[in-house]
C-alpha cells in the first residue's frame, strides 16, 4: 500500500505541475487542514464506491482531457486505496481536497463577481455622502477600489477551509461525526457569513478611510474573517455536532485486509488510468482554429493555445476564447489581465447598442486601457455566468468569451460595433 500511495503522490506532482499554485494560501492551508479533518473508521470495511467514482471521472477525462477531471480521478483513486486498507474514510478530507483545488477558487471568483458589484453598491449606500461607480466608491473626494479579492478567491477559499478545520476538530473532540448534509449546510452558512463579513469590511474601509497596501487594511480583513465568519461558524458547528452528531464507536479493529487478487487488480486498473492521464497532461496541446465564425476586416488573426483566437490592429486587441461546453472554465479577463500586471477599475455592467457587456479600465502604472467582455454563441449574448451556462446546457450551442480592449472608450465602442458574429 505504501508503494502505491507513493506512486500516486509522484503522479500528483508530475501530472498536476501546471494545475496547482504550489505556494498559494489555499493550497498550503488545504495541506494543513488534512490532518485535522481526516479520520478512518477501522471498524467498518471500506467499500468500492471510490473505485467506481474514480473510473467515472477517468471516463470524463477521456472525453474532456482537462486537469480538473484528472485531479478528481487521482484523489478518488487514492481514497479507494486508503479505504481498502485502513477503513472507511470520512467526507471532510474529500471536501478539503476540492476546496484547495484551483478549480474551486476559479469558480468562486467567477460566480461571486456579480455579488462583488452588488456589495459595492450596498456598501456605498450605507456610507453617508458616498457615490458608487462600478467597483469604485468615492467618499469625500477619495476613491476606494473594491478589489476582486474582497469577495473573490482568497476570502472564500480561506473561509471554507477554516470551516472544515473547525468541523473536523469538533468532531474529534466530541467523538461524533456529522452527516454529509449537515456538513454542507454549515459550509453554506460559512459562505453566507463570508458575504456579510466582506460587506462590513468594505464599509469600514471606506468609512474610516483605510487605504490599500497598509497593515491596517490587512488587519481589517483578518478581523472581519475571524469575528464575522470563524467565530459564528465555531459556535454553530459546536451546537450542531453536540446535538446532531452520531457517536463514533471506538473499538479494536475487527477486520484485516488481505491483498487479494481482485483488490490488487482494481488498484492496478486505477493506477494504469492515472499513468495514462499523466502522459496526456504532459503532452503539448496544439493551437486550433476557433469554432465561432467572426466577420471582421482589418485585423491580423492568430490562433493561440487552448482554443483562443487573437484579432489585432492599431485600434484594438480582441480575444475570442472558445468554451467547449457549459461545465468548462474560461479564460476570464479579470484573471488573464491581472496576470499581465493590470488592475481593474470602474467595473460596470452596461448596455451598448442593445448588447449587455461588462466594461472596465485596465491600469498598469501610467498605462490605462478600456476593456469590455461578454459571452456569445452567435445568436445570444450574456454577461451572466448562470445564463450562458444554462442556455449552453439546454440548447447544446457552444459559447465563446469575447474580450475587446482599446486605448479609449470611443475606440472600444467603435470596434465592438464592427464585430459581427
Amino acid at each position: 500500500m505504501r508503494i502505491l500511495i507513493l506512486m500516486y503522490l509522484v503522479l500528483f506532482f508530475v501530472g498536476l505541475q501546471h494545475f496547482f499554485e504550489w505556494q498559494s494560501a489555499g493550497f498550503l492551508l488545504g495541506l494543513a487542514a488534512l490532518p485535522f479533518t481526516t479520520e478512518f473508521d477501522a471498524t467498518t470495511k471500506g467499500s468500492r464506491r471510490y473505485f467506481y467514482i474514480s473510473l467515472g471521472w477517468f471516463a470524463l477525462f477521456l472525453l474532456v482531457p482537462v486537469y480538473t477531471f484528472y485531479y478528481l480521478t487521482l484523489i478518488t483513486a487514492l481514497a479507494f486505496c486508503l479505504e481498502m486498507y485502513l477503513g472507511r474514510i470520512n467526507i471532510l478530507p474529500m471536501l478539503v481536497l476540492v476546496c484547495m483545488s484551483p478549480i474551486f477558487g476559479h469558480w468562486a471568483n467567477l460566480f461571486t463577481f456579480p455579488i462583488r458589484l452588488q456589495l459595492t453598491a450596498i456598501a456605498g449606500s450605507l456610507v453617508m455622502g458616498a457615490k458608487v461607480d462600478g467597483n469604485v466608491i468615492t467618499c469625500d473626494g477619495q476613491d476606494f477600489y473594491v478589489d476582486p479579492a474582497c469577495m473573490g478567491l482568497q476570502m472564500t477559499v480561506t473561509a471554507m477551509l477554516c470551516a472544515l478545520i473547525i468541523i473536523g476538530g469538533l468532531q474529534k473532540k466530541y467523538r461524533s461525526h456529522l452527516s454529509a448534509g449537515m456538513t454542507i449546510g454549515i459550509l453554506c452558512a460559512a459562505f453566507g457569513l463570508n458575504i456579510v463579513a466582506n460587506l462590513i469590511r468594505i464599509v469600514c474601509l471606506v468609512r474610516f478611510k483605510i487605504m490599500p497596501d497598509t497593515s491596517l487594511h490587512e488587519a481589517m480583513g483578518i478581523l472581519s474573517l475571524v469575528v464575522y465568519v470563524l467565530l459564528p461558524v465555531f459556535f454553530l458547528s459546536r451546537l450542531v455536532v453536540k446535538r446532531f452528531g452520531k457517536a463514533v464507536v471506538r473499538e479494536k479493529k475487527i477486520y484485516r485486509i488481505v491483498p487479494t487478487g481482485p483488490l490488487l487488480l482494481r488498484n492496478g486498473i486505477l493506477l494504469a488510468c492515472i499513468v495514462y492521464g499523466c502522459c496526456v497532461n504532459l503532452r503539448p496541446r496544439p493551437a486550433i482554429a476557433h469554432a465561432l465564425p467572426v466577420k471582421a476586416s482589418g485585423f491580423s488573426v492568430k490562433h493561440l493555445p487552448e482554443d483562443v483566437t487573437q484579432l489585432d490592429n492599431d485600434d484594438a486587441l480582441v480575444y475570442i476564447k472558445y468554451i467547449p461546453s457549459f461545465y468548462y472554465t474560461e479564460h476570464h479577463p479579470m484573471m488573464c489581465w491581472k496576470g499581465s500586471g493590470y488592475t481593474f477599475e470602474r467595473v460596470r455592467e452596461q448596455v451598448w447598442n442593445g448588447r449587455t457587456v461588462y466594461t472596465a479600465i485596465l491600469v498598469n502604472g501610467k498605462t490605462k486601457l478600456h476593456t469590455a467582455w461578454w459571452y456569445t454563441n452567435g445568436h445570444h449574448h450574456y454577461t451572466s455566468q448562470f445564463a450562458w451556462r444554462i442556455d449552453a446546457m439546454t440548447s447544446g450551442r457552444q459559447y465563446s468569451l469575447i474580450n475587446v480592449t482599446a486605448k479609449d472608450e470611443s475606440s472600444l465602442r467603435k470596434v465592438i460595433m464592427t464585430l459581427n458574429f
Side-chain angles (χ1 to χ4, degrees), residues 50 84 341:
Y50 282 118
M84 286 288 92

Side-chain angles (χ1 to χ4, degrees), residues 42-43 249-255:
T43 65
V249 179
R250 301 291 181 182
E251 299 177 1
K252 285 186 70 175
K253 186 161 50 175
I254 60 175
Y255 75 94

Side-chain angles (χ1 to χ4, degrees), residues 290-294 296 307-309 311 317-323 330-333 337 355-359 371-378 380-383 388 398-405 412 415-416 419-421:
H290 197 276
L292 183 67
V294 182
D307 302 338
V308 177
T309 298
L311 307 179
L317 178 64
V318 182
Y319 286 108
I320 305 169
K321 305 174 181 183
Y322 172 63
I323 310 172
E330 76 271 18
H331 303 276
H332 197 274
W337 284 106
R355 177 180 299 172
T356 304
V357 298
Y358 275 123
T359 63
T371 191
W373 67 93
W374 67 96
Y375 301 91
T376 182
N377 61 7
H380 299 98
H381 311 283
Y382 295 105
T383 55
W388 80 259
Q398 296 169 322
Y399 272 75
S400 295
L401 170 62
I402 312 298
N403 179 209
V404 184
T405 304
L412 183 63
V415 170
I416 291 178
L419 295 176
N420 185 15
F421 298 98

